[in-house]
Structures are given as C-alpha cells and as structure tokens.
Amino acid sequence: MTMKIKPKDKFLASALRLFNEKWFENTSTASICEDAWYTSWAMFFHFKTKNELLDQLYISIKKKSSEYIIRNISDDLSVDDKVREILKLWFNYYLNNYEEFVFMKSFSESKHISRIAKEEIGMELNMFYKMLDDWKSKWLFISEDSNFIHTWINWMVYYFVEYVKNNKETSVDKCLDFIMRSILNK
C-alpha cells in the first residue's frame, strides 16, 4: 500500500530543498508551490506566510532529531556513556538526514526564525538543559552556563558532522572523543 504524502509535508520538503539551494530570501512562495506541485492557495491554507513555513520546518526538524535521540537512548548508561551516546545519536541523525543538517546549520541562528519558534524549541530542549545542570551539579561537566555548553556542543557537532561527511577517513568516534574532552570535568 502506497502512503500518500500530505500537502503540508510536501511544502516542508520543497522548502527544505529550496532554502538549502537558494537561501530564504531567494526562494519565492511560487517556487515552493511549483516544486511541491500545489497551488499557492494550498500553501497559504497550511502556512500564513513563508516565515511561518520556515518556522514550522525548523521546529519539525528539531523535534524529529530530539525524538530520534530520546527513542534510541538507553537509561542504563553511566553519565559519560549517556552523553557520548546522545552525541553519537545526534551525529548519526544528521549524517543520515544531511539536508536537514544543512538547513539547521544555516538557519539555527537566522533572523528569519521567529522568537516564538525559538521559544518552542527552547521548551523542547529543557530536558537536555536539566540533564546538563544535573551533571554540572555533580561536577561531571565543566563549570559553565548550560546555555553556553549547549551552544558549544551545537557548534562542534555542526562542524564535525560536515567534517566527517567530507573526510571519510575521520570517524565519528574521534570527533566524539574531542567533544567529550572539552565538556567533561576531568
């Protein structure tokens, strides 16, 4: 049985592809509609503006990657192993969903992502911030602001994913070792 792709999902997929190729400012709503094979009326039925489409794309990717990590992480790991496994899952998610990675790297700090979308994702990330705070309180992590640590980890993951993708001889584990040395209090 063939699963039918919903129009909203087609718009998100087209926007992802076109925003990565042409950037936000150079992508018209008409080109998104043409790529998705739907009318502008259909697009504006699902998204009031191109910015709302961008926000929904940003939120959906963040949620999918977080859900992937949560679904695949074991609770029976030591803190060091859990941190490493979370990072490894995050790496693998982006290596296997490279278009989404390119989008997130390009747009995570974009002025076009609304404050509301960033706040919604901030609420989603509260679980990760609570884990960071807990690990810091036990002197397992470097003594820095959790937002700073999260930003540092994001930056390293974004650049290391690209590095691994372009340098096949470099392993994810080598990158993870480097990240772990930089954030653990050892």
Side-chain angles (χ1 to χ4, degrees), residues 132-178:
L132 282 175
D133 287 338
D134 180 47
W135 296 334
K136 280 182 3 189
S137 72
K138 296 174 183 168
W139 296 96
L140 302 170
F141 267 51
I142 56 174
S143 182
E144 291 292 341
D145 175 68
S146 293
N147 192 33
F148 177 82
I149 294 171
H150 183 258
T151 301
W152 174 245
I153 293 169
N154 261 342
W155 180 82
M156 286 191 291
V157 168
Y158 283 161
Y159 285 94
F160 280 147
V161 166
E162 196 167 275
Y163 190 81
V164 168
K165 185 83 168 169
N166 295 322
N167 298 282
K168 300 294 184 196
E169 68 279 355
T170 303
S171 72
V172 170
D173 286 325
K174 181 177 181 177
C175 296
L176 292 174
D177 289 342
F178 185 86

mmCIF file of all heavy atoms in Angstrom, residues 132-178:
data_model
loop_
_atom_site.group_PDB
_atom_site.id
_atom_site.type_symbol
_atom_site.label_atom_id
_atom_site.label_comp_id
_atom_site.label_asym_id
_atom_site.label_seq_id
_atom_site.Cartn_x
_atom_site.Cartn_y
_atom_site.Cartn_z
ATOM 1 N N LEU A 132 22.046 18.654 31.714
ATOM 2 C CA LEU A 132 23.309 19.384 31.827
ATOM 3 C C LEU A 132 23.490 19.955 33.224
ATOM 4 O O LEU A 132 24.561 19.840 33.825
ATOM 5 C CB LEU A 132 23.371 20.522 30.802
ATOM 6 C CG LEU A 132 23.688 20.182 29.361
ATOM 7 C CD1 LEU A 132 23.585 21.425 28.491
ATOM 8 C CD2 LEU A 132 25.057 19.561 29.222
ATOM 9 N N ASP A 133 22.431 20.587 33.742
ATOM 10 C CA ASP A 133 22.506 21.166 35.091
ATOM 11 C C ASP A 133 22.769 20.096 36.139
ATOM 12 O O ASP A 133 23.562 20.301 37.056
ATOM 13 C CB ASP A 133 21.217 21.928 35.429
ATOM 14 C CG ASP A 133 21.103 23.246 34.667
ATOM 15 O OD1 ASP A 133 22.149 23.771 34.216
ATOM 16 O OD2 ASP A 133 19.975 23.738 34.520
ATOM 17 N N ASP A 134 22.116 18.954 35.995
ATOM 18 C CA ASP A 134 22.321 17.857 36.938
ATOM 19 C C ASP A 134 23.765 17.366 36.875
ATOM 20 O O ASP A 134 24.417 17.165 37.908
ATOM 21 C CB ASP A 134 21.345 16.722 36.634
ATOM 22 C CG ASP A 134 21.490 15.549 37.582
ATOM 23 O OD1 ASP A 134 21.554 15.787 38.811
ATOM 24 O OD2 ASP A 134 21.551 14.402 37.105
ATOM 25 N N TRP A 135 24.280 17.175 35.688
ATOM 26 C CA TRP A 135 25.646 16.691 35.535
ATOM 27 C C TRP A 135 26.656 17.720 36.038
ATOM 28 O O TRP A 135 27.666 17.363 36.620
ATOM 29 C CB TRP A 135 25.920 16.315 34.085
ATOM 30 C CG TRP A 135 25.076 15.171 33.606
ATOM 31 C CD1 TRP A 135 24.524 14.184 34.379
ATOM 32 C CD2 TRP A 135 24.676 14.893 32.277
ATOM 33 N NE1 TRP A 135 23.803 13.309 33.602
ATOM 34 C CE2 TRP A 135 23.883 13.713 32.305
ATOM 35 C CE3 TRP A 135 24.896 15.501 31.052
ATOM 36 C CZ2 TRP A 135 23.331 13.146 31.160
ATOM 37 C CZ3 TRP A 135 24.346 14.948 29.921
ATOM 38 C CH2 TRP A 135 23.575 13.780 29.968
ATOM 39 N N LYS A 136 26.358 19.002 35.819
ATOM 40 C CA LYS A 136 27.253 20.051 36.335
ATOM 41 C C LYS A 136 27.244 20.061 37.854
ATOM 42 O O LYS A 136 28.285 20.236 38.484
ATOM 43 C CB LYS A 136 26.828 21.426 35.809
ATOM 44 C CG LYS A 136 27.281 21.691 34.411
ATOM 45 C CD LYS A 136 26.915 23.065 33.873
ATOM 46 C CE LYS A 136 26.230 23.980 34.807
ATOM 47 N NZ LYS A 136 25.714 25.188 34.242
ATOM 48 N N SER A 137 26.067 19.867 38.452
ATOM 49 C CA SER A 137 25.965 19.893 39.914
ATOM 50 C C SER A 137 26.763 18.754 40.546
ATOM 51 O O SER A 137 27.179 18.848 41.696
ATOM 52 C CB SER A 137 24.501 19.832 40.365
ATOM 53 O OG SER A 137 23.962 18.551 40.156
ATOM 54 N N LYS A 138 26.981 17.705 39.801
ATOM 55 C CA LYS A 138 27.772 16.567 40.288
ATOM 56 C C LYS A 138 29.237 16.690 39.862
ATOM 57 O O LYS A 138 29.998 15.735 39.969
ATOM 58 C CB LYS A 138 27.172 15.262 39.754
ATOM 59 C CG LYS A 138 25.774 14.998 40.271
ATOM 60 C CD LYS A 138 25.164 13.780 39.614
ATOM 61 C CE LYS A 138 23.729 13.601 40.100
ATOM 62 N NZ LYS A 138 23.001 12.634 39.304
ATOM 63 N N TRP A 139 29.610 17.852 39.342
ATOM 64 C CA TRP A 139 30.979 18.148 38.909
ATOM 65 C C TRP A 139 31.441 17.251 37.769
ATOM 66 O O TRP A 139 32.623 16.951 37.626
ATOM 67 C CB TRP A 139 31.961 18.087 40.077
ATOM 68 C CG TRP A 139 31.656 19.129 41.097
ATOM 69 C CD1 TRP A 139 30.919 18.952 42.224
ATOM 70 C CD2 TRP A 139 32.013 20.495 41.051
ATOM 71 N NE1 TRP A 139 30.799 20.142 42.905
ATOM 72 C CE2 TRP A 139 31.483 21.107 42.197
ATOM 73 C CE3 TRP A 139 32.742 21.283 40.155
ATOM 74 C CZ2 TRP A 139 31.643 22.465 42.471
ATOM 75 C CZ3 TRP A 139 32.913 22.628 40.438
ATOM 76 C CH2 TRP A 139 32.365 23.192 41.578
ATOM 77 N N LEU A 140 30.485 16.795 36.957
ATOM 78 C CA LEU A 140 30.839 15.936 35.832
ATOM 79 C C LEU A 140 31.135 16.737 34.564
ATOM 80 O O LEU A 140 31.839 16.268 33.677
ATOM 81 C CB LEU A 140 29.715 14.933 35.561
ATOM 82 C CG LEU A 140 29.363 14.022 36.738
ATOM 83 C CD1 LEU A 140 28.090 13.253 36.446
ATOM 84 C CD2 LEU A 140 30.505 13.080 37.040
ATOM 85 N N PHE A 141 30.563 17.930 34.508
ATOM 86 C CA PHE A 141 30.755 18.805 33.360
ATOM 87 C C PHE A 141 31.551 20.027 33.774
ATOM 88 O O PHE A 141 31.604 20.374 34.944
ATOM 89 C CB PHE A 141 29.393 19.277 32.831
ATOM 90 C CG PHE A 141 28.829 18.426 31.739
ATOM 91 C CD1 PHE A 141 28.744 17.063 31.875
ATOM 92 C CD2 PHE A 141 28.376 18.989 30.580
ATOM 93 C CE1 PHE A 141 28.210 16.274 30.878
ATOM 94 C CE2 PHE A 141 27.837 18.222 29.582
ATOM 95 C CZ PHE A 141 27.760 16.854 29.722
ATOM 96 N N ILE A 142 32.130 20.692 32.785
ATOM 97 C CA ILE A 142 32.826 21.933 33.074
ATOM 98 C C ILE A 142 31.844 22.910 33.708
ATOM 99 O O ILE A 142 30.646 22.850 33.459
ATOM 100 C CB ILE A 142 33.459 22.547 31.800
ATOM 101 C CG1 ILE A 142 32.414 22.778 30.707
ATOM 102 C CG2 ILE A 142 34.603 21.687 31.302
ATOM 103 C CD1 ILE A 142 32.931 23.499 29.483
ATOM 104 N N SER A 143 32.348 23.785 34.519
ATOM 105 C CA SER A 143 31.501 24.715 35.255
ATOM 106 C C SER A 143 31.231 25.954 34.411
ATOM 107 O O SER A 143 31.883 26.985 34.565
ATOM 108 C CB SER A 143 32.179 25.102 36.567
ATOM 109 O OG SER A 143 31.340 25.964 37.290
ATOM 110 N N GLU A 144 30.313 25.831 33.512
ATOM 111 C CA GLU A 144 29.887 26.933 32.645
ATOM 112 C C GLU A 144 28.371 26.942 32.590
ATOM 113 O O GLU A 144 27.721 25.951 32.922
ATOM 114 C CB GLU A 144 30.441 26.763 31.220
ATOM 115 C CG GLU A 144 31.928 26.929 31.083
ATOM 116 C CD GLU A 144 32.413 28.349 31.320
ATOM 117 O OE1 GLU A 144 31.609 29.295 31.250
ATOM 118 O OE2 GLU A 144 33.615 28.514 31.576
ATOM 119 N N ASP A 145 27.825 28.038 32.146
ATOM 120 C CA ASP A 145 26.391 28.174 31.958
ATOM 121 C C ASP A 145 25.899 27.083 31.001
ATOM 122 O O ASP A 145 26.549 26.803 29.987
ATOM 123 C CB ASP A 145 26.102 29.571 31.388
ATOM 124 C CG ASP A 145 24.653 29.771 31.045
ATOM 125 O OD1 ASP A 145 23.830 29.815 31.970
ATOM 126 O OD2 ASP A 145 24.345 29.873 29.832
ATOM 127 N N SER A 146 24.772 26.461 31.323
ATOM 128 C CA SER A 146 24.246 25.365 30.487
ATOM 129 C C SER A 146 23.974 25.814 29.059
ATOM 130 O O SER A 146 24.212 25.061 28.107
ATOM 131 C CB SER A 146 22.969 24.790 31.101
ATOM 132 O OG SER A 146 23.273 24.161 32.309
ATOM 133 N N ASN A 147 23.490 27.024 28.884
ATOM 134 C CA ASN A 147 23.249 27.538 27.541
ATOM 135 C C ASN A 147 24.571 27.655 26.778
ATOM 136 O O ASN A 147 24.640 27.341 25.592
ATOM 137 C CB ASN A 147 22.529 28.879 27.602
ATOM 138 C CG ASN A 147 21.996 29.308 26.257
ATOM 139 O OD1 ASN A 147 21.608 28.481 25.435
ATOM 140 N ND2 ASN A 147 21.981 30.605 26.025
ATOM 141 N N PHE A 148 25.619 28.083 27.469
ATOM 142 C CA PHE A 148 26.946 28.170 26.853
ATOM 143 C C PHE A 148 27.428 26.780 26.425
ATOM 144 O O PHE A 148 27.917 26.596 25.308
ATOM 145 C CB PHE A 148 27.946 28.812 27.823
ATOM 146 C CG PHE A 148 29.341 28.872 27.292
ATOM 147 C CD1 PHE A 148 29.723 29.887 26.425
ATOM 148 C CD2 PHE A 148 30.274 27.903 27.630
ATOM 149 C CE1 PHE A 148 31.007 29.938 25.913
ATOM 150 C CE2 PHE A 148 31.555 27.941 27.126
ATOM 151 C CZ PHE A 148 31.932 28.966 26.261
ATOM 152 N N ILE A 149 27.288 25.804 27.315
ATOM 153 C CA ILE A 149 27.722 24.436 26.997
ATOM 154 C C ILE A 149 26.929 23.898 25.811
ATOM 155 O O ILE A 149 27.493 23.312 24.883
ATOM 156 C CB ILE A 149 27.579 23.505 28.222
ATOM 157 C CG1 ILE A 149 28.536 23.924 29.337
ATOM 158 C CG2 ILE A 149 27.832 22.041 27.820
ATOM 159 C CD1 ILE A 149 28.305 23.202 30.655
ATOM 160 N N HIS A 150 25.612 24.107 25.825
ATOM 161 C CA HIS A 150 24.772 23.637 24.720
ATOM 162 C C HIS A 150 25.194 24.297 23.402
ATOM 163 O O HIS A 150 25.300 23.627 22.366
ATOM 164 C CB HIS A 150 23.298 23.916 25.026
ATOM 165 C CG HIS A 150 22.382 23.409 23.974
ATOM 166 N ND1 HIS A 150 21.827 24.238 23.041
ATOM 167 C CD2 HIS A 150 21.951 22.161 23.674
ATOM 168 C CE1 HIS A 150 21.081 23.526 22.220
ATOM 169 N NE2 HIS A 150 21.148 22.267 22.580
ATOM 170 N N THR A 151 25.462 25.596 23.434
ATOM 171 C CA THR A 151 25.897 26.310 22.229
ATOM 172 C C THR A 151 27.236 25.766 21.744
ATOM 173 O O THR A 151 27.429 25.548 20.542
ATOM 174 C CB THR A 151 26.003 27.824 22.514
ATOM 175 O OG1 THR A 151 24.719 28.293 22.932
ATOM 176 C CG2 THR A 151 26.454 28.597 21.288
ATOM 177 N N TRP A 152 28.150 25.517 22.662
ATOM 178 C CA TRP A 152 29.461 24.979 22.319
ATOM 179 C C TRP A 152 29.325 23.589 21.679
ATOM 180 O O TRP A 152 29.935 23.297 20.651
ATOM 181 C CB TRP A 152 30.322 24.930 23.580
ATOM 182 C CG TRP A 152 31.655 24.265 23.440
ATOM 183 C CD1 TRP A 152 32.048 23.116 24.060
ATOM 184 C CD2 TRP A 152 32.761 24.682 22.644
ATOM 185 N NE1 TRP A 152 33.336 22.799 23.686
ATOM 186 C CE2 TRP A 152 33.802 23.745 22.816
ATOM 187 C CE3 TRP A 152 32.983 25.751 21.783
ATOM 188 C CZ2 TRP A 152 35.029 23.844 22.180
ATOM 189 C CZ3 TRP A 152 34.217 25.857 21.140
ATOM 190 C CH2 TRP A 152 35.214 24.912 21.346
ATOM 191 N N ILE A 153 28.505 22.745 22.278
ATOM 192 C CA ILE A 153 28.288 21.406 21.740
ATOM 193 C C ILE A 153 27.645 21.503 20.349
ATOM 194 O O ILE A 153 28.066 20.813 19.418
ATOM 195 C CB ILE A 153 27.430 20.545 22.691
ATOM 196 C CG1 ILE A 153 28.203 20.253 23.986
ATOM 197 C CG2 ILE A 153 27.011 19.239 22.018
ATOM 198 C CD1 ILE A 153 27.343 19.645 25.091
ATOM 199 N N ASN A 154 26.622 22.357 20.217
ATOM 200 C CA ASN A 154 25.980 22.562 18.907
ATOM 201 C C ASN A 154 27.006 22.933 17.853
ATOM 202 O O ASN A 154 27.025 22.360 16.762
ATOM 203 C CB ASN A 154 24.951 23.690 18.984
ATOM 204 C CG ASN A 154 23.550 23.220 19.127
ATOM 205 O OD1 ASN A 154 23.228 22.073 18.864
ATOM 206 N ND2 ASN A 154 22.695 24.107 19.553
ATOM 207 N N TRP A 155 27.815 23.911 18.176
ATOM 208 C CA TRP A 155 28.809 24.396 17.231
ATOM 209 C C TRP A 155 29.735 23.264 16.813
ATOM 210 O O TRP A 155 29.996 23.059 15.632
ATOM 211 C CB TRP A 155 29.589 25.555 17.862
ATOM 212 C CG TRP A 155 30.630 26.108 16.967
ATOM 213 C CD1 TRP A 155 30.450 27.020 15.973
ATOM 214 C CD2 TRP A 155 32.024 25.769 16.964
ATOM 215 N NE1 TRP A 155 31.646 27.267 15.356
ATOM 216 C CE2 TRP A 155 32.630 26.518 15.943
ATOM 217 C CE3 TRP A 155 32.800 24.915 17.728
ATOM 218 C CZ2 TRP A 155 33.988 26.432 15.663
ATOM 219 C CZ3 TRP A 155 34.159 24.827 17.446
ATOM 220 C CH2 TRP A 155 34.734 25.582 16.434
ATOM 221 N N MET A 156 30.234 22.515 17.788
ATOM 222 C CA MET A 156 31.149 21.422 17.463
ATOM 223 C C MET A 156 30.461 20.337 16.641
ATOM 224 O O MET A 156 31.032 19.848 15.664
ATOM 225 C CB MET A 156 31.759 20.829 18.737
ATOM 226 C CG MET A 156 32.811 21.731 19.350
ATOM 227 S SD MET A 156 33.758 20.929 20.648
ATOM 228 C CE MET A 156 32.548 20.753 21.921
ATOM 229 N N VAL A 157 29.253 19.950 17.027
ATOM 230 C CA VAL A 157 28.540 18.917 16.272
ATOM 231 C C VAL A 157 28.299 19.387 14.840
ATOM 232 O O VAL A 157 28.558 18.643 13.883
ATOM 233 C CB VAL A 157 27.222 18.512 16.966
ATOM 234 C CG1 VAL A 157 26.348 17.660 16.046
ATOM 235 C CG2 VAL A 157 27.508 17.756 18.263
ATOM 236 N N TYR A 158 27.833 20.621 14.668
ATOM 237 C CA TYR A 158 27.576 21.123 13.318
ATOM 238 C C TYR A 158 28.833 21.057 12.447
ATOM 239 O O TYR A 158 28.783 20.630 11.300
ATOM 240 C CB TYR A 158 27.050 22.552 13.357
ATOM 241 C CG TYR A 158 25.603 22.679 13.755
ATOM 242 C CD1 TYR A 158 25.095 23.887 14.206
ATOM 243 C CD2 TYR A 158 24.717 21.613 13.682
ATOM 244 C CE1 TYR A 158 23.773 24.029 14.578
ATOM 245 C CE2 TYR A 158 23.395 21.732 14.050
ATOM 246 C CZ TYR A 158 22.930 22.948 14.491
ATOM 247 O OH TYR A 158 21.616 23.081 14.848
ATOM 248 N N TYR A 159 29.946 21.470 12.979
ATOM 249 C CA TYR A 159 31.163 21.470 12.170
ATOM 250 C C TYR A 159 31.764 20.082 12.020
ATOM 251 O O TYR A 159 32.305 19.748 10.962
ATOM 252 C CB TYR A 159 32.166 22.502 12.693
ATOM 253 C CG TYR A 159 31.685 23.872 12.298
ATOM 254 C CD1 TYR A 159 30.915 24.640 13.159
ATOM 255 C CD2 TYR A 159 31.913 24.358 11.009
ATOM 256 C CE1 TYR A 159 30.421 25.867 12.777
ATOM 257 C CE2 TYR A 159 31.410 25.587 10.617
ATOM 258 C CZ TYR A 159 30.674 26.344 11.491
ATOM 259 O OH TYR A 159 30.166 27.546 11.094
ATOM 260 N N PHE A 160 31.668 19.256 13.031
ATOM 261 C CA PHE A 160 32.211 17.909 12.919
ATOM 262 C C PHE A 160 31.374 17.032 11.990
ATOM 263 O O PHE A 160 31.920 16.176 11.303
ATOM 264 C CB PHE A 160 32.360 17.245 14.284
ATOM 265 C CG PHE A 160 33.592 17.672 15.047
ATOM 266 C CD1 PHE A 160 33.576 17.763 16.419
ATOM 267 C CD2 PHE A 160 34.774 17.974 14.383
ATOM 268 C CE1 PHE A 160 34.705 18.143 17.121
ATOM 269 C CE2 PHE A 160 35.918 18.357 15.073
ATOM 270 C CZ PHE A 160 35.885 18.438 16.446
ATOM 271 N N VAL A 161 30.063 17.201 11.969
ATOM 272 C CA VAL A 161 29.234 16.422 11.025
ATOM 273 C C VAL A 161 29.690 16.724 9.600
ATOM 274 O O VAL A 161 29.894 15.814 8.792
ATOM 275 C CB VAL A 161 27.728 16.723 11.208
ATOM 276 C CG1 VAL A 161 26.914 16.201 10.029
ATOM 277 C CG2 VAL A 161 27.209 16.126 12.505
ATOM 278 N N GLU A 162 29.860 17.985 9.310
ATOM 279 C CA GLU A 162 30.318 18.369 7.975
ATOM 280 C C GLU A 162 31.723 17.824 7.707
ATOM 281 O O GLU A 162 32.020 17.338 6.615
ATOM 282 C CB GLU A 162 30.326 19.892 7.862
ATOM 283 C CG GLU A 162 30.404 20.384 6.448
ATOM 284 C CD GLU A 162 30.080 21.852 6.381
ATOM 285 O OE1 GLU A 162 28.881 22.185 6.311
ATOM 286 O OE2 GLU A 162 31.028 22.650 6.423
ATOM 287 N N TYR A 163 32.565 17.881 8.712
ATOM 288 C CA TYR A 163 33.933 17.373 8.565
ATOM 289 C C TYR A 163 33.933 15.873 8.278
ATOM 290 O O TYR A 163 34.622 15.406 7.376
ATOM 291 C CB TYR A 163 34.745 17.689 9.829
ATOM 292 C CG TYR A 163 36.216 17.410 9.679
ATOM 293 C CD1 TYR A 163 37.044 18.329 9.042
ATOM 294 C CD2 TYR A 163 36.759 16.223 10.150
ATOM 295 C CE1 TYR A 163 38.394 18.069 8.888
ATOM 296 C CE2 TYR A 163 38.112 15.956 10.000
ATOM 297 C CZ TYR A 163 38.925 16.884 9.372
ATOM 298 O OH TYR A 163 40.256 16.626 9.202
ATOM 299 N N VAL A 164 33.155 15.118 9.035
ATOM 300 C CA VAL A 164 33.073 13.671 8.826
ATOM 301 C C VAL A 164 32.488 13.361 7.455
ATOM 302 O O VAL A 164 32.959 12.467 6.750
ATOM 303 C CB VAL A 164 32.252 12.990 9.951
ATOM 304 C CG1 VAL A 164 31.910 11.547 9.607
ATOM 305 C CG2 VAL A 164 33.005 13.063 11.275
ATOM 306 N N LYS A 165 31.480 14.102 7.061
ATOM 307 C CA LYS A 165 30.850 13.880 5.749
ATOM 308 C C LYS A 165 31.855 14.095 4.612
ATOM 309 O O LYS A 165 31.839 13.361 3.626
ATOM 310 C CB LYS A 165 29.658 14.832 5.599
ATOM 311 C CG LYS A 165 28.844 14.638 4.363
ATOM 312 C CD LYS A 165 27.861 13.541 4.545
ATOM 313 C CE LYS A 165 26.856 13.530 3.421
ATOM 314 N NZ LYS A 165 26.053 12.343 3.445
ATOM 315 N N ASN A 166 32.734 15.081 4.773
ATOM 316 C CA ASN A 166 33.691 15.415 3.715
ATOM 317 C C ASN A 166 35.038 14.705 3.842
ATOM 318 O O ASN A 166 35.838 14.756 2.919
ATOM 319 C CB ASN A 166 33.917 16.929 3.675
ATOM 320 C CG ASN A 166 32.660 17.667 3.270
ATOM 321 O OD1 ASN A 166 31.916 17.208 2.413
ATOM 322 N ND2 ASN A 166 32.403 18.786 3.898
ATOM 323 N N ASN A 167 35.301 14.100 4.978
ATOM 324 C CA ASN A 167 36.570 13.407 5.229
ATOM 325 C C ASN A 167 36.267 12.005 5.738
ATOM 326 O O ASN A 167 36.263 11.757 6.936
ATOM 327 C CB ASN A 167 37.418 14.169 6.259
ATOM 328 C CG ASN A 167 37.777 15.543 5.774
ATOM 329 O OD1 ASN A 167 38.673 15.702 4.960
ATOM 330 N ND2 ASN A 167 37.066 16.547 6.271
ATOM 331 N N LYS A 168 36.025 11.112 4.834
ATOM 332 C CA LYS A 168 35.561 9.761 5.167
ATOM 333 C C LYS A 168 36.506 9.012 6.109
ATOM 334 O O LYS A 168 36.080 8.126 6.824
ATOM 335 C CB LYS A 168 35.353 8.936 3.894
ATOM 336 C CG LYS A 168 34.325 9.521 2.954
ATOM 337 C CD LYS A 168 32.947 9.498 3.550
ATOM 338 C CE LYS A 168 31.949 9.999 2.525
ATOM 339 N NZ LYS A 168 30.701 10.365 3.077
ATOM 340 N N GLU A 169 37.791 9.380 6.114
ATOM 341 C CA GLU A 169 38.736 8.667 6.984
ATOM 342 C C GLU A 169 38.616 9.108 8.448
ATOM 343 O O GLU A 169 39.150 8.460 9.341
ATOM 344 C CB GLU A 169 40.181 8.834 6.493
ATOM 345 C CG GLU A 169 40.766 10.226 6.618
ATOM 346 C CD GLU A 169 40.365 11.194 5.502
ATOM 347 O OE1 GLU A 169 39.700 10.785 4.544
ATOM 348 O OE2 GLU A 169 40.730 12.368 5.619
ATOM 349 N N THR A 170 37.908 10.203 8.706
ATOM 350 C CA THR A 170 37.707 10.657 10.083
ATOM 351 C C THR A 170 36.456 9.995 10.643
ATOM 352 O O THR A 170 35.391 10.052 10.035
ATOM 353 C CB THR A 170 37.559 12.194 10.144
ATOM 354 O OG1 THR A 170 38.715 12.784 9.573
ATOM 355 C CG2 THR A 170 37.373 12.665 11.563
ATOM 356 N N SER A 171 36.585 9.401 11.800
ATOM 357 C CA SER A 171 35.452 8.692 12.395
ATOM 358 C C SER A 171 34.641 9.605 13.307
ATOM 359 O O SER A 171 35.157 10.581 13.861
ATOM 360 C CB SER A 171 35.947 7.486 13.190
ATOM 361 O OG SER A 171 36.576 7.919 14.376
ATOM 362 N N VAL A 172 33.396 9.259 13.454
ATOM 363 C CA VAL A 172 32.522 9.950 14.404
ATOM 364 C C VAL A 172 33.101 9.810 15.802
ATOM 365 O O VAL A 172 33.110 10.769 16.584
ATOM 366 C CB VAL A 172 31.082 9.379 14.326
ATOM 367 C CG1 VAL A 172 30.225 9.901 15.467
ATOM 368 C CG2 VAL A 172 30.443 9.701 12.980
ATOM 369 N N ASP A 173 33.633 8.643 16.120
ATOM 370 C CA ASP A 173 34.195 8.424 17.459
ATOM 371 C C ASP A 173 35.344 9.373 17.764
ATOM 372 O O ASP A 173 35.477 9.850 18.890
ATOM 373 C CB ASP A 173 34.646 6.967 17.626
ATOM 374 C CG ASP A 173 33.459 6.034 17.796
ATOM 375 O OD1 ASP A 173 32.458 6.446 18.420
ATOM 376 O OD2 ASP A 173 33.526 4.901 17.303
ATOM 377 N N LYS A 174 36.175 9.662 16.791
ATOM 378 C CA LYS A 174 37.282 10.603 17.005
ATOM 379 C C LYS A 174 36.719 11.986 17.352
ATOM 380 O O LYS A 174 37.220 12.661 18.266
ATOM 381 C CB LYS A 174 38.155 10.681 15.751
ATOM 382 C CG LYS A 174 39.333 11.617 15.896
ATOM 383 C CD LYS A 174 40.195 11.604 14.660
ATOM 384 C CE LYS A 174 41.385 12.540 14.855
ATOM 385 N NZ LYS A 174 42.295 12.512 13.722
ATOM 386 N N CYS A 175 35.696 12.406 16.661
ATOM 387 C CA CYS A 175 35.061 13.695 16.946
ATOM 388 C C CYS A 175 34.407 13.682 18.329
ATOM 389 O O CYS A 175 34.523 14.662 19.081
ATOM 390 C CB CYS A 175 34.029 14.028 15.877
ATOM 391 S SG CYS A 175 34.740 14.245 14.235
ATOM 392 N N LEU A 176 33.750 12.590 18.647
ATOM 393 C CA LEU A 176 33.107 12.469 19.960
ATOM 394 C C LEU A 176 34.132 12.529 21.085
ATOM 395 O O LEU A 176 33.887 13.159 22.118
ATOM 396 C CB LEU A 176 32.292 11.188 20.042
ATOM 397 C CG LEU A 176 31.049 11.134 19.163
ATOM 398 C CD1 LEU A 176 30.416 9.756 19.229
ATOM 399 C CD2 LEU A 176 30.053 12.201 19.532
ATOM 400 N N ASP A 177 35.280 11.890 20.890
ATOM 401 C CA ASP A 177 36.343 11.948 21.908
ATOM 402 C C ASP A 177 36.762 13.391 22.161
ATOM 403 O O ASP A 177 36.926 13.811 23.306
ATOM 404 C CB ASP A 177 37.568 11.134 21.466
ATOM 405 C CG ASP A 177 37.329 9.641 21.489
ATOM 406 O OD1 ASP A 177 36.366 9.195 22.147
ATOM 407 O OD2 ASP A 177 38.118 8.917 20.835
ATOM 408 N N PHE A 178 36.902 14.142 21.099
ATOM 409 C CA PHE A 178 37.301 15.546 21.232
ATOM 410 C C PHE A 178 36.241 16.348 21.988
ATOM 411 O O PHE A 178 36.555 17.117 22.901
ATOM 412 C CB PHE A 178 37.552 16.157 19.842
ATOM 413 C CG PHE A 178 38.069 17.553 19.905
ATOM 414 C CD1 PHE A 178 39.435 17.789 20.029
ATOM 415 C CD2 PHE A 178 37.202 18.631 19.839
ATOM 416 C CE1 PHE A 178 39.923 19.085 20.094
ATOM 417 C CE2 PHE A 178 37.682 19.927 19.909
ATOM 418 C CZ PHE A 178 39.040 20.152 20.039
#
